[in-house]
Amino acid sequence: MERTQQHRQVAHMRQSLFDQGLLDEQFVQLEELQDDANPNFVEEVVTLFYRDSARLVLNIDQALDKSPLDFSKLDSYMHQFKGSASSIGAKKVKSECTLFREYCKAGNGEGCMKTFQQLKKDYAVLRKKLETYFQMARQVGPVETACRRK
Amino acid sequence: MELPSKINNNEKSLQQGISPSGNGGLISNSKLTALVVDSDRICQILEKAILESQGVETQVVGSGRDALDLLASGATFNLIIIAMVLPIMNGVETTRQIRAMGIRSKMLGVTACSYEREKQAFLDAGVDEFIEKPLTPQKLASIMREMRNA
């Protein structure tokens, strides 16, 4: 009974990530790629995303400190960042990447800086929530809907 | 963190520059084969996982130069999935050079950007189709169906 309740809590936590607009359908696609041989595929891909994207975040931060701003370079960094963020289903982060690129296109430095500050907050919030979710999911064991047996 | 076999095999293939099937770079023709050309690790892993989940033998390279070298060595692929943003030589230029080699494999251009101008540049360079990242199993399944029916 307690286990069922724990599973429900994990499922509820997962659903809340979608309801809050933090994740999109792409996250479900990742879950569907999980199998018995790689039961933690999603967590590992997400972990790798945060590991790899840390360098890009730093590059963008440094580029935003320069004067004048190199919008072409900023756009290129964000293009890369958007690609991997969208691959893990990070919906809110992805839309902020798009907004940032629009500010780059318009040569709007202030817009870029404000958007990037928000992006970093949402990126960190998502990371924390996903870490908590994965930790809980591991504790209660596989949820049937998360893994499709092959 | 020890990465699971699905991610580790991808990493080993990248380091060794060989087909995951271990046949020294020449992909067997007994099933559909694909080459992923993308410098983003998350996208590499995701695209390879999606392709392999649909029974496609897949190799991954991280740059346009590596793709050209591999193709010049005689490796053949039914499908080439190529990112727009690549180090040194971008996806558009790489596509042009692949087509200039006389390679007629189906080419799918992928990018995190949806600007019409960039899409057209990719199509003009020689990709058969262009999609916005991320690649999804549904989109790939549709392409696979076309290829198997051709």
Side-chain angles (χ1 to χ4, degrees), chain A:
Chain A
M1 194 69 156
E2 194 186 318
R3 199 160 178 80
T4 308
Q5 199 170 346
Q6 286 173 334
H7 276 297
R8 263 198 228 114
Q9 279 178 341
V10 170
H12 176 75
M13 182 179 282
R14 178 185 171 277
Q15 187 56 44
S16 73
L17 295 171
F18 291 93
D19 295 342
Q20 289 166 30
L22 296 174
L23 293 178
D24 62 25
E25 172 63 25
Q26 181 60 20
F27 188 82
V28 178
Q29 306 288 358
L30 282 187
E31 290 176 320
E32 290 183 353
L33 289 170
Q34 267 185 181
D35 55 27
D36 296 335
N38 297 280
N40 301 313
F41 178 68
V42 181
E43 183 177 357
E44 273 135 5
V45 170
V46 169
T47 301
L48 194 60
F49 163 72
Y50 276 99
R51 193 194 298 172
D52 282 6
S53 61
R55 177 185 52 81
L56 270 174
V57 169
L58 181 63
N59 287 347
I60 295 168
D61 257 330
Q62 289 173 343
L64 283 170
D65 267 341
K66 294 197 156 83
S67 182
L69 292 177
D70 184 341
F71 288 107
S72 171
K73 188 180 261 186
L74 283 167
D75 184 66
S76 176
Y77 285 143
M78 192 52 78
H79 184 136
Q80 292 173 64
F81 189 74
K82 185 183 171 187
S84 47
S86 66
S87 296
I88 68 155
K91 183 178 179 182
K92 207 157 193 242
V93 170
K94 177 185 167 182
S95 71
E96 275 148 6
C97 292
T98 303
L99 185 58
F100 184 97
R101 295 194 72 204
E102 282 167 15
Y103 280 127
C104 281
K105 207 175 165 190
N108 184 334
E110 198 175 319
C112 285
M113 287 182 204
K114 278 189 180 152
T115 305
F116 193 58
Q117 292 313 310
Q118 187 58 48
L119 185 155
K120 283 196 291 184
K121 280 185 191 155
D122 291 330
Y123 169 83
V125 162
L126 178 62
R127 179 184 200 156
K128 195 88 187 93
K129 290 190 178 205
L130 283 173
E131 277 172 358
T132 306
Y133 164 66
F134 289 132
Q135 190 175 18
M136 272 188 71
R138 264 187 273 119
Q139 279 168 6
V140 303
V143 177
E144 202 55 41
T145 53
C147 295
R148 190 172 63 186
R149 289 178 184 279
K150 291 194 176 165

Side-chain angles (χ1 to χ4, degrees), chain B residues 47-60:
Chain B
E47 287 161 15
K48 186 168 192 274
I50 292 173
L51 285 159
E52 289 183 343
S53 74
Q54 298 194 22
V56 180
E57 199 169 313
T58 308
Q59 190 166 349
V60 180

